[in-house]
Amino acid sequence: MGETAHNPAPVLVAAPPPSSLAFSKGPSWSPSEILQNLEYCIHSNPSWPETFLLAFQHYIVMLGTTVLITRTLVTQMGGDPADAARVIQTLVFMSGINTLLQTLIGTRLPTVMGPSYAFVLPVLSIIRDYNDETFSKEHDRFEAIMRTIQGSMIVSSFINIILGYSKGWATLTRLLSPITIVPVVCVVGLGLFMRGFPLLANCVELGLPMLILLVICQYSKNLHSSARPVLERFGLLFCGGIIWAFAAILTVAGAYNNVGYRTKQSCRTDRSYLISSSPWVRVPYPFQWGAPIFRASHVFGMIGATLVSAAESTGAFYGAARLAGATSPPAHVLSRSIGLQGIGLLLDGIFGAAVGSTASVENVGLLGHTHIGSRRVVQVSTGFMFFFSIFGKFGGLFASIPLAIFAAAYCVLYGIVAAIGISFIQFSNTNSMRNHYVLGLALFLAISIPQYFVSNTTGDGHGPIRADGGWFNDILNTVFSSPPAVAMIVGTLLDNLLEARSTSNDRGIPWWKPFQNRKGDSRSAEFYGMPIRINEWMPTRYL
């Protein structure tokens, strides 16, 4: 029957919206700047016995990258085990100097400054150019290459010095937001995945048990209250010691006598010959390889590496600040740290380090693994770096630890840094499709682009960009082989060009902006203030 005036159509009344199911299922967590279960923050300190053990653990963790870079480069340079031992001593010694400088007058964060992989491609380019020259003996070739590396690093270091102390890097970091920080910090860890399980798999009988033991420690620490601090803080030392002893037993028993070359290099504890080749006492000194050689093409190639190391360090600094219980570093602190990193690179060149330095990602992960972000612990670790770089036999002993053991530790430590990067997303609107677009594209390209460049780079350093100018190739191949550099470039452009002003609240700018100014947050002076009276001899504009 049709509708009439006596039978009006029913009026539909909207039902009240259902209550959110999220609140009925449990508590919710609001954004928090402070991590849970952090035992010691940046300016609190454990007892002295624990401090020394934790500092020694930081030394051991940074040693893996040092040995790996040395093995990659020295043989191609024409060096022998004695040369490799001297290179390792120099790298560790300079790590101690640069770490001490950064923790005192740089970022003041508990970050170890170790050798950077960003410099490997420019160094390979130098090696390639010297392959066409004739030398009376291979050691002369090695020294010529080292002298050229010295000259290139000395000149290129001024790029970071100028960027830092002119406040140019501060201007760049003010363009960052929580949306940009997520992919930058995240790929600082994820971008190193090739140094995780692929390196572990070269000696799976050592690497896999090490990884399993590290995971078991995380479960075992809850079995008894007295075991928790020991396993939580020193589990990496205990697990590494056990597997190292197991590797020594296998080596002595002849388990690796009839295996392939790669397995011997990865598993045996006596393959590096570092103990026998290292001098008992030797102090690295300026221009130890001879007078530096300056070539314009190599200098330009090294400039790309210095820029990449600045991007890598910036991401690591943000992660370290969160793991140390500090506020995000202000722009002026990041700028002075990059300037000081340039001074450190200048010192690396003067002392003859094979590569430049950057903030060690694995040591940043160790802050989260131990739940201890004390600045003093990292400063004390420089004492171990100085001692073992000067007394070579002792340093060579620890440098002989199989790389598969380090790789297993990196699987855990790099993962922690990647997760810390993800945690910055809480300060932005996670329901914004615009944010999802920027995050997803920046994160994907930061992994995909470097993987393309690395996959298409030959063993002698030839990358996919092969223009007529070798220096041009080195700069672009180095920059785009770095996940943090690509993440910073792509993320910054997308975040600042796509509806930036109208979505400032969604981007987390209200939370982010106070940390960018010198006096924006009162806590910044507590975490990043200089030591007493340093302002009497250094102008304020540089602090």
Side-chain angles (χ1 to χ4, degrees):
M1 180 184 295
E3 295 179 359
T4 65
H6 301 286
N7 296 288
V11 178
L12 299 178
V13 180
S19 60
S20 174
L21 296 178
F23 293 102
S24 64
K25 292 182 179 180
S28 60
W29 289 269
S30 58
S32 175
E33 297 171 10
I34 306 299
L35 292 174
Q36 298 178 0
N37 303 323
L38 189 65
E39 300 291 340
Y40 294 93
C41 66
I42 186 172
H43 47 52
S44 59
N45 305 303
S47 64
W48 280 109
E50 287 184 332
T51 296
F52 281 106
L53 279 175
L54 290 164
F56 178 70
Q57 195 167 226
H58 272 283
Y59 161 72
I60 292 295
V61 167
M62 65 81 58
L63 196 59
T65 299
T66 305
V67 175
L68 189 58
I69 289 178
T70 303
R71 287 191 182 183
T72 302
L73 296 178
V74 171
T75 303
Q76 297 188 55
M77 292 179 185
D80 55 23
D83 295 322
R86 293 172 65 188
V87 168
I88 290 175
Q89 285 180 280
T90 305
L91 288 174
V92 174
F93 185 80
M94 295 312 302
S95 292
I97 292 178
N98 291 326
T99 300
L100 200 57
L101 288 175
Q102 281 290 350
T103 55
L104 286 175
I105 59 174
T107 59
R108 305 273 291 152
L109 288 169
T111 50
V112 172
M113 302 300 291
S116 172
Y117 255 89
F119 293 86
V120 169
L121 282 180
V123 171
L124 288 176
S125 178
I126 295 173
I127 294 173
R128 188 172 62 247
D129 286 353
Y130 274 97
N131 286 339
D132 298 330
E133 298 187 17
T134 303
F135 295 87
S136 59
K137 52 184 178 180
E138 282 299 292
H139 184 73
D140 293 340
R141 181 190 306 275
F142 168 79
E143 288 192 341
I145 293 172
M146 288 300 299
R147 291 165 58 196
T148 307
I149 294 172
Q150 284 182 248
S152 301
M153 285 201 293
I154 288 173
V155 177
S156 63
S157 66
F158 288 96
I159 297 298
N160 279 3
I161 294 174
I162 295 171
L163 269 179
Y165 290 119
S166 69
K167 299 298 180 67
W169 199 255
T171 303
L172 173 62
T173 54
R174 286 193 177 94
L175 298 175
L176 303 179
S177 72
I179 295 299
T180 316
I181 291 299
V182 172
V184 171
V185 180
C186 190
V187 299
V188 163
L190 288 182
L192 299 171
F193 66 92
M194 289 302 296
R195 287 160 58 188
F197 200 86
L199 186 61
L200 178 156
N202 290 337
C203 188
V204 70
E205 62 268 31
L206 298 180
L208 193 57
M210 175 68 179
L211 180 58
I212 293 173
L213 280 179
L214 287 173
V215 175
I216 289 175
C217 280
Q218 291 297 308
Y219 289 90
S220 302
K221 68 182 183 182
N222 296 317
L223 296 179
H224 196 276
S225 58
S226 61
R228 183 182 183 89
V230 176
L231 294 178
E232 188 174 78
R233 299 175 189 177
F234 311 112
L236 194 148
L237 275 183
F238 289 142
C239 296
I242 292 171
I243 302 301
W244 188 20
F246 178 56
I249 293 172
L250 291 179
T251 301
V252 173
Y256 301 118
N257 290 344
N258 300 310
V259 296
Y261 176 78
R262 172 178 288 185
T263 303
K264 286 183 178 181
Q265 293 293 324
S266 302
C267 301
R268 293 184 68 96
T269 58
D270 59 354
R271 268 324 262 186
S272 61
Y273 306 108
L274 292 175
I275 300 177
S276 58
S277 302
S278 300
W280 279 103
V281 179
R282 180 181 178 275
V283 180
Y285 55 90
F287 307 116
Q288 57 182 313
W289 313 109
I293 298 174
F294 301 96
R295 292 187 177 181
S297 60
H298 297 148
V299 168
F300 281 107
M302 200 69 74
I303 286 175
T306 63
L307 295 174
V308 167
S309 68
E312 292 175 344
S313 292
T314 300
F317 290 149
Y318 279 116
R322 188 146 172 75
L323 288 169
T327 58
S328 291
H332 74 279
V333 171
L334 290 172
S335 198
R336 81 185 183 203
S337 71
I338 297 305
L340 188 62
Q341 186 171 317
I343 293 176
L345 182 60
L346 176 63
L347 295 175
D348 287 336
I350 291 174
F351 277 81
V355 294
S357 59
T358 189
S360 173
V361 180
E362 50 266 38
N363 289 89
V364 172
L366 188 60
L367 302 178
H369 185 68
T370 59
H371 298 182
I372 295 177
S374 171
R375 182 191 295 128
R376 177 188 290 175
V377 168
V378 172
Q379 289 175 335
V380 171
S381 72
T382 62
F384 288 101
M385 297 177 199
F386 292 139
F387 177 85
F388 289 112
S389 62
I390 293 173
F391 297 94
K393 294 291 185 185
F394 299 103
L397 174 65
F398 294 110
S400 65
I401 298 175
L403 292 176
I405 296 177
F406 289 110
Y410 293 162
C411 289
V412 175
L413 302 180
Y414 291 155
I416 291 174
V417 177
I420 284 299
I422 296 173
S423 72
F424 279 92
I425 198 175
Q426 65 181 308
F427 305 113
S428 62
N429 183 3
T430 57
N431 293 316
S432 167
M433 289 301 297
R434 180 263 183 200
N435 288 352
H436 292 168
Y437 176 84
V438 174
L439 279 173
L441 187 56
L443 188 58
F444 182 82
L445 291 181
I447 296 176
S448 183
I449 292 177
Q451 181 60 29
Y452 166 77
F453 274 78
V454 172
S455 299
N456 290 276
T457 299
T458 60
D460 59 355
H462 274 295
I465 297 179
R466 301 186 182 184
D468 294 335
W471 62 272
F472 178 79
N473 299 338
D474 290 340
I475 291 178
L476 292 187
N477 286 326
T478 300
V479 169
F480 288 105
S481 295
S482 168
V486 175
M488 186 171 289
I489 294 171
V490 175
T492 302
L493 289 176
L494 291 176
D495 192 43
N496 287 275
L497 296 178
L498 182 62
E499 303 172 0
R501 292 187 178 181
S502 60
T503 59
S504 61
N505 288 336
D506 288 346
R507 296 166 60 206
I509 298 301
W511 172 83
W512 179 255
K513 192 173 182 178
F515 299 121
Q516 299 305 297
N517 302 319
R518 185 182 296 272
K519 297 181 180 180
D521 192 291
S522 59
R523 296 168 296 176
S524 295
E526 176 187 358
F527 298 129
Y528 302 106
M530 288 291 194
I532 299 175
R533 292 194 300 274
I534 195 172
N535 59 332
E536 295 180 3
W537 54 271
M538 183 178 287
T540 305
R541 64 180 178 273
Y542 296 133
L543 302 181

